[in-house]
Every structure is written in C-alpha cells, then in structure tokens.
C-alpha cells in the first residue's frame, strides 16, 4: 500500500523529474574542458556496465554501470581503461560524455584508430523507483579521446537490456524493454545503423522471429547472419501479478542476395545446452564460437524469489550449430613436471582418467563466508579430489606451489561484464544475492579460452568489504544529487570500518587433528556471542545461532 501511494503520487511527473536530474548532471560534466587520464585503483563494485576490448591496443574499456547498497542506486558514466600487460587501471575523464547509465550496449569497430559505439540504457532515481530509458547514440573516438553524440532520426525507442553487435559496417540492435512506474513493454524489433551514411533503418524480416525479450545472447556469423539465444521477459497475468519467462529458443536472422531482405529462421542446435537462466553475460571467443557466462535461475514462490547463481561457461560453435560446456583442463605446467619420471607419467595418465570420470576429479564444494554484519554468503569452489592430492610428493608440492590444491574461479554471479582479447576472456564485477541482500562485485578474472587450463585472479574480491544498508522506513525523499553522484567514498569508509572491527577479534584456534564437530561444540558460545554483537540485540536467536555456526565453519575450514 505504501508503494502504491508513492507510485500514484510520482507517476505523472516521473520522466520530467528524471530528465531534469539528468540535465543537471550533464551541466556538471560540461564543465570539464580537457582530457585527464590518471592512474587509479580498480573501479568500485558495479554491474550492468560494458567492458570492451580495444581493437588496436592491449586494453579493456569499462563504461557506465550501476551499484545498489540497499537504500540508494548509483549510476555511472565514468570511463576506465585496464592495461592488460601492466595489470593496472586508469581513469579517463573526457569532456561532454554520455549521461550516467546502465544496461546499455557498446560495440567496438576498428575505424580510425578504434571507435566505441554506445546505444541506449537506463537511468534510475536514487531510490530506485523511477526509470528513464535512453534512445541516444554515442561514439567514443579512441584515438583522439573525444565523445560525440550522433543525432539521426528513425532509430529505436528508448530501452535497456537490448543487444547490439557490429556486422558488416552496421550496428544491429535487437530487443530490450521499457519500464515505467505504471507499465512495461518488451521488444523484438530489429534496427540497423549504417556506419557509413549514419542513418537508421528498421528491418522488416520475413518469417517468425523470437518473442519479445531482453538480456539475450546475440552473435554474428562469418556470413553476416545474426544469432539470438535465450533472454528474459515477463507479462502481467492479472492485476499486480507478473509472470517471468526464461527463453531457451535460438533463432537466426540472415539477409539474402538483396541487402534489404532479411529473414528469420529457427535453429535447433545439438550438444549440451545451457540450463535455463537470465542475467548471463556474453562474448565472442576464438574459433568461431560465442560464449555465455554465469547468470541466475530464479525460483519464484508466493512471497519471495530465491535465485541459483552460476559461474559456468557454455560455448556455442557457430559453424557446427552445437553447444558444449567449458571444462577446465588443469595447468599444463603440472603435467610437464609429472613427466620427469615414470611415476609422474603414471600420475599424469591418472589425471586424464579423472577428467573422463567427473566423480573422481575436481569436486565442487560450497563455502560460506560471513560479512561484517553477520550475513552469510555462499561461494562455490572447485578443489581437486583427495586421491589426487595424496599422490603428490613433497617435492612436487614445493614446485607447483599448491597448483593442484584449491583452484580459483569467479564466484557465481549475474550481470557481469565480459570482454575477449587475444583469445583470453576477462570477467569483471556483477552481483549475486543472499536472501534480501545484494552483493555487488569488483573483482576481475581471466581465462585463456584456447587452453581452458585455469582461471587467474587479476583483482580479488573482499567479501567483507561490502556495504549494505537496510531499507529505510522513512517516507521522505533522499537527496537525489548525492545518490546518483557516485558512492566510492562511502564504500571506502565502510571498508575501513570493516577492517578496524575485524582487527579486534581474537578467534579460538583449531587444535591439530580436531574434527569440525568437536571444534564447534568447544567454541559454540564464543561464536554465538560474536554473532550477536555483530547482528545486534534485536536479532532472532535462531538466526544468530545459524550465523554463528557458519562463522565457526568458515574459520575451521580456513584453519585446516
């Protein structure tokens, strides 16, 4: 009822309010008169931005995105550049950038030293109740470091969650959605922007195309066709009740001999298809393959939604029309070291057997990590089988520095940002949820798609440096300017507080050969006391005990 009162009060002036707010931010950006490039720490946590590979340099370009801390939504229009060789970040401030946004699309073309094209996306009010969907088109000239807005009529309506690819001197845009406080609509239209004439055209393909959706996979074929897979949409089945749909169909749109004649047709790929999900991230890999990473499958119940998050990779071989899951093969260095003797060769052969028999190979375990406020978050990890670890000699352990111990990998997430450069996939940021709490990430991982041996951590995630503010019951409006401005300072201060608090705790140590159950029974009261001090006197006893056990488990496993 409270939400309905807010919506009815604000719905009429929603777009006008946001347009005025966006204009204010643009006035602030207009005060920048010169390009300033400076070294900086990794960007703050975010999701739904764009990460693009520079066409000529060993760089990745991060633009836009959003961050939600439980009370406020922060939107960004910052431009960051990641230097792959130096593993370093720099922030590039360029006059007159596009307004703050998330859920936009970016595509790179190699023209004139490289161009980054950006279309659409959305702006949200700090309280997250109002949305403005952009329909503007921008180009960043990478050689001169200048933004330019391209004004051409006949383009798509305002939207976010759409997909855009560069194909034969055209930008092709498909789908997306538009949402207001009163209604929403999903699209399945197709537009083309000509990169030579700078003109829009709406395609009218024959055949039956995909249903309206957002967040799908979009990839080009060498022949100039465009493949659409998956996505998400929802429809209203009765008043105030929406039903979401996870799409799993696959279609291709191709032009014939006549350039303006496009046609849809259904694809029926073979192989192992991805499990149904939304919020997955997409990229084009080497060897004529597109790839899909992560995402979430929501289990909708009457009162709540519980999400299963993923961190797997699926490849789609465009030439063979076949899906297959990406599987880690393990580092090559360890195989070379094992070939130094007969025993090593035997063990190496054993590794291959383990790959063929998944139950004996790497095992997925679930690890719970407790944030500073006592919230438990679950991270899936892959560790090598126990038999494999026992077979290693001490000298091999020293040489390999624990390479066969715990294998690192990105934690499950949705709405991450992907880019591929020189056959290496880079995964940045995204989010996952634990109960009502959202964890927004700022880590960076990479994996060589040619070798598929192991993930590398380029920027680590600190699960305890997470800001989360419980939703305020106050009906008063938050300061709009403060909310949409940034959030880095607040995040940094919360990190410092977390470190200060964490340094005062004295954990009871784990005794040699002590089992988890023994450790828990011996130290349970300590952990309950610590959990209660973190969660406050009003926390329910059942939840306090649950969090205490999770904290004890985490500490026990780390100690072992």
């Amino acid at each position: 009822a409270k939400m309905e009162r807010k919506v009815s009060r604000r719905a009429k002036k929603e777009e006008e309010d946001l347009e005025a707010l966006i204009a204010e931010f643009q006035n602030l950006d207009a005060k920048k008169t010169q390009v300033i490039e400076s070294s900086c720490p990794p960007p703050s946590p975010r999701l739904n931005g764009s990460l693009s590979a520079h066409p000529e340099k060993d760089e990745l370009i991060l633009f836009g995105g959003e961050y939600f801390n439980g009370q406020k939504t922060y939107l960004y229009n910052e431009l960051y550049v990641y230097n792959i060789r130096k593993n370093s970040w720099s922030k590039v401030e360029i006059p007159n950038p596009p307004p703050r946004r998330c859920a936009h699309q970016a595509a790179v073309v190699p023209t004139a030293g490289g161009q980054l094209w950006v279309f659409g996306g959305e702006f949200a009010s700090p309280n997250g109740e109002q949305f403005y969907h952009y329909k503007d088109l921008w180009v960043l000239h990478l050689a001169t470091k200048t933004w330019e807005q391209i004004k051409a009529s006949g383009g798509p309506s305002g939207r976010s969650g759409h997909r855009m690819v560069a194909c034969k001197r055209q930008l092709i845009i498909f789908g997306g959605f538009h949402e207001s406080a009163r209604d929403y609509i999903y699209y399945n239209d197709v537009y083309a922007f000509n990169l030579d004439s700078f003109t829009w055209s709406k395609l009218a393909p024959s055949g039956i195309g995909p249903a309206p959706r957002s967040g799908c996979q979009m990839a080009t074929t060498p022949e100039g066709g465009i493949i659409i897979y998956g996505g998400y949409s929802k429809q209203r089945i009765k008043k105030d009740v929406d039903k979401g749909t996870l799409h799993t169909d696959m279609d291709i749109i191709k032009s014939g001999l006549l350039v303006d004649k496009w046609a849809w047709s259904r694809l029926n790929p073979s192989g192992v298809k991805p499990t149904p999900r939304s919020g997955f991230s997409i990229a084009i890999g080497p060897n004529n393959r597109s790839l899909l990473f992560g995402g979430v499958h929501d289990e909708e119940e009457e009162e709540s939604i519980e999400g299963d998050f993923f961190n797997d990779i699926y490849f789609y071989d465009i030439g063979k029309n076949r899906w297959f899951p990406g599987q880690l093969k393990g580092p090559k260095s360890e195989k070379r070291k094992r070939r130094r003797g007969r025993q090593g060769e035997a063990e190496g052969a054993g590794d291959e057997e383990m790959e063929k028999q998944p139950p004996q190979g790497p095992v997925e375990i679930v690890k719970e990590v407790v944030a500073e406020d006592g919230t438990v978050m679950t991270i899936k990890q892959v560790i090598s089988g126990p038999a494999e670890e026992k077979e290693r000699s001490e000298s091999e352990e020293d040489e390999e520095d624990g390479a066969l111990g715990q294998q690192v990998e990105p934690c499950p997430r949705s709405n991450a940002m992907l880019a591929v450069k020189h056959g290496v996939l880079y995964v940045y940021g995204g989010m996952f949820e634990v109960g009502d709490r959202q964890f927004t990430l700022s880590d960076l991982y990479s994996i060589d798609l040619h070798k598929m041996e192991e993930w590398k951590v380029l920027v680590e995630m600190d699960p305890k440096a997470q800001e989360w503010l419980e939703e305020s019951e106050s009906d008063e409006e938050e300061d709009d300017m403060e909310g949409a401005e940034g959030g880095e300072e607040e995040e940094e201060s919360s990190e410092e507080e977390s470190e200060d608090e964490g340094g005062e705790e004295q954990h009871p140590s784990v005794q040699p050969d002590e089992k988890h159950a023994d450790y828990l029974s011996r130290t349970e009261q300590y952990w309950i006391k610590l959990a209660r001090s973190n969660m406050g006197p009003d926390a329910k006893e059942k939840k306090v005990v649950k969090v205490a056990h999770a904290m004890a488990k985490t500490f026990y496993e780390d100690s072992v």
Side-chain angles (χ1 to χ4, degrees):
K2 178 179 164 186
M3 181 63 74
E4 284 179 359
R5 287 198 303 271
K6 285 185 178 181
V7 168
S8 62
R9 189 166 66 242
R10 299 172 185 171
K12 293 180 182 179
K13 59 173 188 171
E14 179 181 323
E15 283 209 351
E16 292 89 336
D17 288 349
L18 291 183
E19 284 176 349
L21 187 57
I22 293 167
E24 280 191 63
F25 288 134
Q26 285 188 287
N27 288 336
L28 290 174
D29 289 330
K31 294 179 180 178
K32 300 173 183 175
T33 57
Q34 58 183 355
V35 177
I36 301 174
E37 186 168 357
S38 56
S39 297
C40 65
S44 59
R46 64 192 65 199
L47 66 151
N48 287 329
S50 58
L51 188 66
S52 309
H54 195 296
E56 295 184 359
K57 298 180 180 179
D58 290 339
E59 294 177 346
L60 306 179
I61 304 161
L62 175 66
F63 173 73
E66 64 176 312
Y67 171 74
F68 179 61
N69 69 358
Q71 289 185 2
K72 284 184 181 178
T73 300
Y74 299 87
L75 276 294
Y76 304 106
N77 64 346
E78 302 159 325
L79 189 74
Y80 289 95
V81 175
Y82 175 72
N83 187 305
I84 294 173
R85 292 186 180 181
K86 296 180 180 178
N87 187 25
S88 62
W89 288 93
S90 60
K91 186 175 182 180
V92 186
E93 298 181 56
I94 300 175
N96 299 307
R100 291 159 171 77
R101 68 188 65 206
C102 65
H104 55 280
Q105 281 288 278
V108 170
V109 295
T111 307
Q115 296 175 337
L116 177 75
W117 289 82
V118 174
F119 174 79
E122 69 183 52
F123 178 89
S125 61
N127 58 21
E129 293 178 13
Q130 298 169 286
F131 301 95
Y132 181 88
H133 295 266
Y134 294 103
K135 57 180 178 179
D136 51 354
L137 179 67
W138 294 76
V139 58
L140 172 62
H141 301 281
L142 298 175
T144 59
K145 292 185 174 64
T146 53
W147 281 108
E148 179 186 0
Q149 184 175 5
I150 307 299
K151 296 183 178 179
S153 60
S157 56
R159 64 189 64 194
S160 57
H162 51 289
R163 291 294 177 259
M164 179 173 77
V165 294
C167 179
K168 293 187 175 180
R169 298 296 300 160
Q170 292 186 109
L171 299 175
I172 308 293
I173 292 174
F174 169 81
F177 73 98
H178 183 284
E179 184 173 13
S180 67
R182 288 152 287 186
D183 211 350
Y184 58 82
I185 182 172
Y186 284 78
Y187 300 105
N188 64 346
D189 47 7
V190 188
Y191 283 82
F193 180 77
N194 189 296
L195 292 169
D196 295 316
S197 63
F198 280 25
T199 55
W200 284 106
S201 60
K202 184 176 182 180
L203 306 186
S206 59
I208 300 174
R213 65 193 64 192
S214 70
C216 60
Q217 182 180 39
M218 191 175 185
T220 58
T221 69
E223 299 76 31
I226 296 165
I227 295 169
I228 303 292
Y229 167 77
Y232 174 84
S233 65
K234 63 181 179 180
Q235 57 184 8
R236 190 148 291 162
I237 53 177
K238 58 183 179 181
K239 186 180 180 182
D240 298 329
V241 178
D242 299 322
K243 182 181 179 183
T245 300
L246 294 176
H247 299 279
T248 57
D249 54 330
M250 196 170 214
D251 298 85
I252 185 170
I253 181 173
K254 294 188 288 190
S255 62
L257 296 175
L258 298 174
V259 176
D260 294 333
K261 297 294 181 182
W262 292 78
W264 282 111
S265 59
R266 178 61 55 91
L267 287 174
N268 293 300
S270 61
V272 181
K273 301 172 186 175
T275 54
R277 64 190 68 191
S278 64
F280 54 78
S281 306
I282 54 177
I284 301 298
N287 304 323
N288 199 22
R289 294 168 177 172
S290 65
L291 68 89
L292 171 157
F293 170 81
V296 60
H297 182 272
D298 288 323
E299 296 288 343
E300 298 188 24
E301 310 211 353
E302 287 186 13
E303 295 293 328
S304 63
I305 295 179
E306 287 293 328
D308 290 327
F309 288 80
F310 304 100
N311 61 348
D312 48 0
I313 297 177
Y314 280 88
F315 292 97
Y316 173 69
D317 191 310
I318 296 172
K320 296 179 180 177
N321 187 27
R322 175 176 168 267
W323 281 105
F324 62 95
Q327 296 178 334
L328 295 185
K329 301 173 184 175
K332 235 178 189 179
S333 58
E334 81 201 25
K335 293 178 183 176
R336 282 201 301 269
K337 285 162 188 166
R338 291 183 169 202
R339 292 194 187 107
R340 292 178 181 173
R342 291 181 183 177
Q343 182 182 358
E345 288 177 5
E347 288 172 359
D351 280 349
E352 293 175 12
E353 285 297 316
M354 281 188 238
E355 284 182 19
K356 294 175 185 175
Q357 300 173 9
Q360 298 174 14
V363 178
E364 184 178 72
I365 63 167
V366 175
K367 182 177 181 180
E368 292 178 321
V369 178
V370 185
E372 284 299 314
D373 64 356
T375 302
V376 181
M377 67 182 198
T378 303
I379 297 178
K380 294 179 182 177
Q381 291 182 312
V382 174
I383 62 169
S384 54
E388 187 178 10
E389 290 194 31
K390 288 178 184 176
E391 286 172 3
R392 287 189 297 166
S393 69
E394 290 182 11
S395 61
E396 284 176 331
E397 285 184 8
D398 292 338
E399 272 188 323
E400 294 168 19
D401 196 26
L404 283 179
Q406 290 197 357
Q407 291 185 15
V408 296
E409 62 178 354
C411 71
R413 66 191 68 197
S414 69
N415 306 89
M417 290 138 275
L418 304 190
V420 175
K421 183 70 176 179
H422 300 315
V424 176
L425 171 67
Y426 296 86
V427 177
Y428 172 76
M431 62 82 74
F432 65 96
E433 295 169 344
V434 178
D436 295 331
R437 176 170 177 167
Q438 175 176 309
F439 288 84
T440 307
L441 304 169
S442 59
D443 49 0
L444 178 65
Y445 284 79
S446 70
I447 186 169
D448 190 320
L449 297 175
H450 292 290
K451 300 175 182 177
M452 286 298 292
E453 291 176 356
E454 60 182 343
W455 284 98
K456 294 182 179 178
V457 189
L458 303 173
V459 177
E460 288 191 88
M461 174 193 77
D462 180 2
K464 294 187 177 181
Q466 290 283 337
E467 178 186 50
W468 187 256
L469 307 176
E470 293 300 328
E471 187 175 357
S472 173
E473 290 298 320
S474 170
D475 206 12
E476 295 177 5
E477 301 238 355
E478 299 287 350
D479 183 353
D480 285 348
M481 287 294 290
E482 182 188 353
E485 186 63 36
E488 288 88 338
E489 291 180 8
E490 292 183 18
E491 290 161 39
E492 288 170 6
S493 65
S494 81
E495 287 180 22
E496 290 169 7
E497 290 168 10
S498 298
E499 290 172 4
D500 292 342
E501 292 169 10
E504 295 172 3
E505 298 171 3
Q506 297 295 322
H507 302 292
S509 61
V510 177
Q511 303 302 317
D513 301 324
E514 185 175 29
K515 294 181 179 179
H516 175 250
D518 298 333
Y519 176 75
L520 180 60
S521 63
R522 180 169 63 84
T523 63
E524 183 178 31
Q525 290 307 312
Y526 167 83
W527 291 106
I528 288 176
K529 181 179 178 182
L530 182 62
R532 188 177 287 111
S533 69
N534 272 331
M535 300 170 70
D538 298 330
K540 293 181 179 179
E541 186 65 21
K542 188 175 179 181
K543 188 173 182 182
V544 170
V545 173
K546 183 180 178 182
V547 169
H549 286 186
M551 295 168 78
K553 181 182 177 184
T554 301
F555 185 74
Y556 174 84
E557 289 177 347
D558 287 347
S559 299
V560 171

